[in-house]
Amino acid sequence: MMQNVHLAPETDEDDLYSGYNDYNPTYDTEELENDTAFQQAVRTSHGRRPPDGVARPMTAVRAAGFTKAALRGSAFDPLGQSRGPAPPLEAKNEDSPEEKIRQLEKKVNELVEESCVANGCGDLKLALEKAKDAGRKERVLVRQREQVTTPENINLDLTYSVLFNLASQYSANEMYAEALNTYQVIVKNKMFSNAGRLKVNMGNIYLKQRNYSKAIKFYRMALDQIPSVHKEMRIKILQNIGVTFIKTGQYSDAINSFEHIMSMAPNLKAGFNLILSYFAVGDQEKMKKAFQKLIAVPLEIDEDDKYISPNDDPHTNLVIEAIKNDHLRQMERERKAMAEKYIMTAAKLIAPVIETTFAVGYDWCVEVVKASQYVELANDLEINKAITYLRQKDFNQAVETLKMFEKKDSRVKSAAATNLSFLYYLENEFAQASSYADLAVNSDRYNPSALTNKGNTVFANGDYEKAAEFYKEALRNDSSCTEALYNIGLTYKKLNRLDEALDCFLKLHAILRNSAQVLYQIAHVYELMEDPNQAIEWLMQLISVVPTDSRALSKLGELYDSEGDKSQAFQYYYESYRYFPSNIEVIEWLGAYYIDTQFCEKAIQYFERASLIQPTQVKWQLMVASCFRRSGNYQKALDTYKDIHRKFPENVECLRFLVRLCTDIGLKEVQEYATKLKRLEKMKEIREQRIKSGRDGSGGSRSKREGSAGSDASYVDPLGPQIERPKTAAKKRIDEDDFADEELGDDLLPE
């Protein structure tokens, strides 16, 4: 074991700690006082160190809160809270030019914003005032900036915004000259970038002013200044150019614009306008091609299957329910509805002209539509074809066309059956009308038009309670079905439930504010309720809507007459006579009014007109003769009676007055007329005796034969006119008996 032990040499025992005192002479502190370089350093930096107790800056760790003072017992204060609150900020000098400019610029921006908000709220006058105020302050701002800084520092964006808003507000207020001047200021300023686009707005103003040549000029100038990368804007300007060409009748130029649009970026409006242009020039083949292009325009909307849940996953159902009627879905519906409207309108426009007959033209349109994404429109086109037959008075073809839909799907079948029911109703074939109304209701129980037609057929059969039930069901399915609401009001009138009828018509008046039929029905209900003042008030509203309605005016005259106000009655009867001078009742009332007021000579013209209208009625000519006699013109009265006697030789009253006048004047013809009078009276007595004997004395004889007049005294105070019901301005009676014609017209439109 000892062989591995090594002993230290004996020579090293005295130097066990040798080497520890060996060090670099640089660290020799004993000689520092004699070190010239060190002393020089002390005199330059160390000698100027702060006195004892002041810590040397610890720049590397100061940010973390570590200081030498902290090591000496001071509190840890990394945020420097012990130093107290920060000194207050220096107050702004509001009188400085820079601050004034800044505040004025802020005020201008606020005015521009307020102007835009007012325009959005529809207060155009306030928007214009704000825009003008912003313009004034902006000019002051520019002058102040020029005094303080160089012109290069002017805020061009603010100037552009102020001018553009001012021009827009001028245009919105139809101050087109001022708007054009403001746009010119912007366009001519080379410092505004892309200002040339505003020439589109200038073109729009010229279009509103119907200055079409200048509108086209500015549209083309704007088009030249817009780069080709802005494709959508260029397309819109081209569309404006095409529309302007249509307004000027330059259809070939319009066709070029719309053809270019349809080749670059086809859209519904351009396609429809292209069809209109070809229709104007009468190019049948091009109309067909344009219709096919319109059909092919992509809608770019999701399919309806997207909104049908594929499974019963509650999370998926919630998502589908949320997006089923969101803004995007509503926009898609609107876009689809607009496309269908354009296609249907275009088809109805070109169908009668693209082929030899309109029926062949409709068939071509139907085939094209069936091969497109708008398959469901084919049935609507077929229904429109039937309606076209109706307009041409070809009822048989219309019925045959509609009967083709009896085997179609329920929606189309219901629409066709509704129209068939309407047609048969107009022809008073109530059994057929009821049959097709039942078919329409069974095909679509929620079709308000079908239920209304069914109610009409029941109404025609006199079952008013059941008719009211159908009308109520139609209203439950569609609360905006004004036909059902109107008809249920008429039904309540028939049932003498006047309060409920009035309630229906007042509700309808809230929907159709200017409907003459509704206003009349309200007035009529008040008249039935024996409230003439309210009836007069509603009739006054009626004549404000149809001021030339002679029936409404005569009805007002009748109501005022019943109230004893003859002057007001005369005013409205006279107005009625001015608009329709052939109403016998009005003529009779006016003649009687002048007789009552002792102006018999003025009554003559009215009775003469009545005799022209009813030349076989002797009483009007007797009234004329009576007026001559009462006014003292006996010779004219005698001549008139003689003329009446020649036309009606068996009229007893005429002979009586002839005898009386000839006696008073002393004429020789008196004996002749007296003899004729006696013979007629004797014949009259014989006739009366025969009548009495025929009736075994149980009945009285008729005092006058139809067409003869009574004594003169019977015409002194004739009965006033009996006005049954007013007419509309088109001389169409408004009455519950005619409600089918008035209320079913809309049902002819395809569902």
Side-chain angles (χ1 to χ4, degrees):
M1 289 182 63
M2 296 299 294
Q3 60 183 0
N4 293 328
V5 177
H6 297 280
L7 298 175
E10 294 181 358
T11 55
D12 294 333
E13 289 180 0
D14 297 332
D15 298 321
L16 183 61
Y17 299 99
S18 62
Y20 282 97
N21 292 326
D22 296 336
Y23 54 87
N24 193 316
T26 304
Y27 302 109
D28 186 5
T29 58
E30 295 179 358
E31 299 295 332
L32 289 177
E33 293 181 359
N34 300 325
D35 191 335
T36 306
F38 180 78
Q39 291 298 327
Q40 182 66 27
V42 168
R43 284 194 297 270
T44 57
S45 62
H46 184 68
R48 292 199 300 271
R49 71 180 184 273
D52 295 338
V54 180
R56 177 177 177 274
M58 300 177 66
T59 56
V61 293
R62 174 64 61 86
F66 294 100
T67 62
K68 188 174 181 181
L71 299 175
R72 297 177 181 174
S74 61
F76 178 71
D77 188 14
L79 300 178
Q81 296 178 0
S82 61
R83 293 196 298 270
L89 297 174
E90 294 183 4
K92 290 183 179 180
N93 185 6
E94 296 183 357
D95 295 332
S96 65
E98 292 81 4
E99 184 62 26
K100 288 182 178 179
I101 289 172
R102 193 179 298 110
Q103 292 298 325
L104 189 56
E105 185 173 327
K106 181 180 178 183
K107 181 62 177 176
V108 172
N109 279 309
E110 290 176 353
L111 285 170
V112 172
E113 185 176 350
E114 291 171 4
S115 174
C116 296
V117 171
N119 182 282
C121 295
D123 194 345
L124 302 180
K125 186 176 180 181
L126 177 62
L128 180 58
E129 290 300 324
K130 295 286 185 182
K132 288 181 178 179
D133 196 11
R136 288 190 291 267
K137 285 183 167 51
E138 194 274 334
R139 288 191 292 273
V140 173
L141 175 62
V142 170
R143 287 195 294 269
Q144 290 186 5
R145 279 191 180 277
E146 289 175 347
Q147 295 173 2
V148 175
T149 61
T150 59
E152 290 79 9
N153 293 329
I154 294 176
N155 190 345
L156 290 176
D157 292 339
L158 181 61
T159 304
Y160 181 88
S161 300
V162 170
L163 290 173
F164 179 53
N165 179 61
L166 180 60
S168 300
Q169 302 308 333
Y170 275 134
S171 180
N173 283 272
E174 298 183 357
M175 301 171 66
Y176 297 130
E178 293 83 352
L180 288 171
N181 292 335
T182 309
Y183 278 127
Q184 284 286 4
V185 172
I186 301 174
V187 171
K188 290 182 177 180
N189 194 333
K190 303 299 182 183
M191 299 178 68
F192 295 139
S193 60
N194 299 324
R197 298 183 180 184
L198 295 183
K199 291 182 179 179
V200 176
N201 293 18
M202 300 175 72
N204 291 339
I205 292 175
Y206 283 122
L207 185 64
K208 291 177 183 177
Q209 293 179 327
R210 298 187 179 182
N211 191 343
Y212 300 125
S213 59
K214 279 199 172 183
I216 293 172
K217 175 184 175 182
F218 275 88
Y219 285 144
R220 284 177 168 170
M221 290 169 64
L223 190 65
D224 293 339
Q225 296 186 19
I226 294 175
S228 57
V229 294
H230 296 157
K231 182 178 177 181
E232 186 175 352
M233 183 174 288
R234 290 179 63 86
I235 291 296
K236 289 182 179 179
I237 297 175
L238 279 171
Q239 189 153 316
N240 284 9
I241 292 173
V243 171
T244 311
F245 276 131
I246 289 179
K247 289 182 177 291
T248 59
Q250 298 173 260
Y251 299 113
S252 58
D253 293 325
I255 288 170
N256 292 335
S257 296
F258 294 129
E259 284 284 10
H260 181 71
I261 295 172
M262 294 301 289
S263 63
M264 297 295 294
N267 63 74
L268 294 168
K269 288 184 179 180
F272 182 72
N273 287 334
L274 181 61
I275 293 174
L276 291 180
S277 302
Y278 281 129
F279 177 81
V281 298
D283 194 330
Q284 297 179 353
E285 291 302 320
K286 291 292 181 64
M287 274 189 271
K288 290 182 178 181
K289 291 180 180 179
F291 185 74
Q292 290 172 334
K293 289 181 180 179
L294 177 64
I295 291 284
V297 172
L299 278 180
E300 298 178 354
I301 62 175
D302 293 327
E303 298 294 334
D304 292 338
D305 296 342
K306 173 183 176 181
Y307 302 97
I308 300 175
S309 177
N311 50 47
D312 294 332
D313 181 18
H315 179 71
T316 305
N317 292 338
L318 285 174
V319 172
I320 291 176
E321 193 66 28
I323 67 174
K324 188 178 293 185
N325 200 33
D326 61 358
H327 291 297
L328 178 60
R329 178 60 173 160
Q330 292 174 9
M331 185 184 72
E332 289 177 346
R333 287 200 191 102
E334 291 173 1
R335 184 173 178 81
K336 186 176 181 182
M338 182 179 67
E340 292 176 351
K341 178 184 176 182
Y342 282 139
I343 292 169
M344 290 292 294
T345 306
K348 289 188 287 186
L349 179 69
I350 68 173
V353 297
I354 58 175
E355 298 291 349
T356 54
T357 63
F358 83 90
V360 179
Y362 263 108
D363 292 339
W364 182 87
C365 292
V366 168
E367 293 302 320
V368 173
V369 169
K370 284 182 178 179
S372 69
Q373 56 185 325
Y374 304 99
V375 182
E376 65 275 7
L377 292 183
N379 294 324
D380 294 336
L381 280 175
E382 290 281 5
I383 292 178
N384 272 286
K385 179 181 175 182
I387 294 173
T388 307
Y389 277 125
L390 286 178
R391 292 195 180 101
Q392 297 185 355
K393 309 300 182 183
D394 193 345
F395 294 101
N396 294 330
Q397 284 292 339
V399 170
E400 290 300 322
T401 304
L402 290 172
K403 284 183 177 180
M404 294 168 53
F405 292 93
E406 292 184 9
K407 297 182 180 180
K408 299 283 186 179
D409 62 81
S410 59
R411 184 187 70 86
V412 179
K413 184 193 299 184
S414 179
T418 300
N419 291 338
L420 283 168
S421 172
F422 169 71
L423 289 175
Y424 283 119
Y425 189 93
L426 292 181
E427 295 178 351
N428 292 328
E429 296 183 20
F430 298 125
Q432 286 277 45
S434 180
S435 173
Y436 279 103
D438 289 333
L439 177 61
V441 171
N442 294 333
S443 300
D444 184 2
R445 188 70 189 182
Y446 299 99
N447 183 350
S449 299
L451 291 165
T452 302
N453 279 5
K454 179 60 181 176
N456 292 341
T457 58
V458 177
F459 186 101
N461 293 326
D463 192 347
Y464 303 123
E465 291 286 357
K466 192 173 181 181
E469 291 301 320
F470 281 108
Y471 296 141
K472 288 178 183 178
E473 187 175 355
L475 285 172
R476 284 194 294 270
N477 293 336
D478 182 5
S479 59
S480 63
C481 183
T482 54
E483 294 84 0
L485 187 57
Y486 184 87
N487 288 353
I488 198 173
L490 296 177
T491 306
Y492 286 144
K493 276 179 62 179
K494 285 287 188 181
L495 294 170
N496 202 31
R497 293 156 62 176
L498 299 180
D499 290 332
E500 294 174 78
L502 181 62
D503 184 55
C504 291
F505 290 127
L506 289 174
K507 288 179 181 177
L508 196 57
H509 175 63
I511 302 171
L512 307 173
R513 303 295 298 181
N514 295 321
S515 171
Q517 289 89 347
V518 175
L519 290 170
Y520 167 72
Q521 291 297 342
I522 294 173
H524 190 220
V525 171
Y526 274 120
E527 184 184 4
L528 295 175
M529 296 170 73
E530 298 181 354
D531 190 347
N533 293 327
Q534 282 291 335
I536 289 172
E537 181 180 338
W538 284 97
L539 283 173
M540 293 293 289
Q541 292 189 41
L542 173 60
I543 64 172
S544 69
V545 176
V546 280
T548 60
D549 189 337
S550 64
R551 287 286 183 175
L553 291 166
S554 63
K555 189 66 177 178
L556 268 172
E558 179 188 348
L559 289 172
Y560 276 117
D561 188 28
S562 66
E563 290 292 294
D565 192 342
K566 293 288 185 180
S567 61
Q568 284 285 1
F570 170 75
Q571 176 185 345
Y572 288 108
Y573 272 125
Y574 182 74
E575 287 295 310
S576 174
Y577 174 78
R578 281 202 316 120
Y579 291 117
F580 187 56
S582 300
N583 189 322
I584 290 295
E585 292 85 358
V586 174
I587 292 172
E588 184 177 6
W589 191 94
L590 288 170
Y593 173 80
Y594 279 119
I595 291 175
D596 289 343
T597 54
Q598 304 301 318
F599 290 101
C600 297
E601 62 276 4
K602 289 188 176 181
I604 292 173
Q605 60 174 325
Y606 296 103
F607 293 128
E608 285 179 342
R609 178 170 289 276
S611 66
L612 291 175
I613 297 171
Q614 295 180 343
T616 59
Q617 294 290 326
V618 68
K619 67 176 181 178
W620 305 121
Q621 299 180 47
L622 288 172
M623 289 296 291
V624 172
S626 176
C627 289
F628 280 126
R629 184 173 58 80
R630 287 174 175 276
S631 61
N633 193 345
Y634 296 110
Q635 185 60 45
K636 190 70 175 175
L638 180 62
D639 294 340
T640 305
Y641 280 126
K642 287 181 178 180
D643 186 57
I644 296 171
H645 179 63
R646 282 193 297 271
K647 294 178 181 177
F648 304 96
E650 296 184 358
N651 188 272
V652 176
E653 301 300 329
C654 179
L655 284 171
R656 285 176 181 170
F657 285 113
L658 278 171
V659 170
R660 185 183 303 177
L661 279 174
C662 290
T663 302
D664 294 341
I665 299 174
L667 297 178
K668 297 179 180 180
E669 295 97 329
V670 62
Q671 189 62 38
E672 177 186 352
Y673 293 132
T675 303
K676 291 181 179 180
L677 177 61
K678 288 180 180 179
R679 186 173 68 250
L680 286 175
E681 287 179 342
K682 188 174 182 179
M683 291 174 61
K684 183 180 177 181
E685 290 176 1
I686 295 171
R687 190 182 302 114
E688 288 177 354
Q689 289 176 1
R690 288 176 179 175
I691 293 173
K692 286 181 179 180
S693 61
R695 294 180 179 177
D696 295 328
S698 61
S701 64
R702 294 183 181 272
S703 60
K704 298 184 184 71
R705 188 180 53 166
E706 185 178 357
S708 66
S711 64
D712 182 63
S714 65
Y715 295 98
V716 176
D717 224 353
L719 293 175
Q722 300 298 314
I723 308 301
E724 295 181 0
R725 52 185 76 89
K727 289 183 181 179
T728 62
K731 306 299 183 295
K732 175 94 172 71
R733 286 186 184 272
I734 307 171
D735 185 47
E736 53 267 25
D737 296 334
D738 293 333
F739 71 95
D741 295 339
E742 298 293 339
E743 299 310 316
L744 298 182
D746 291 339
D747 293 343
L748 282 175
L749 297 176
E751 295 298 322

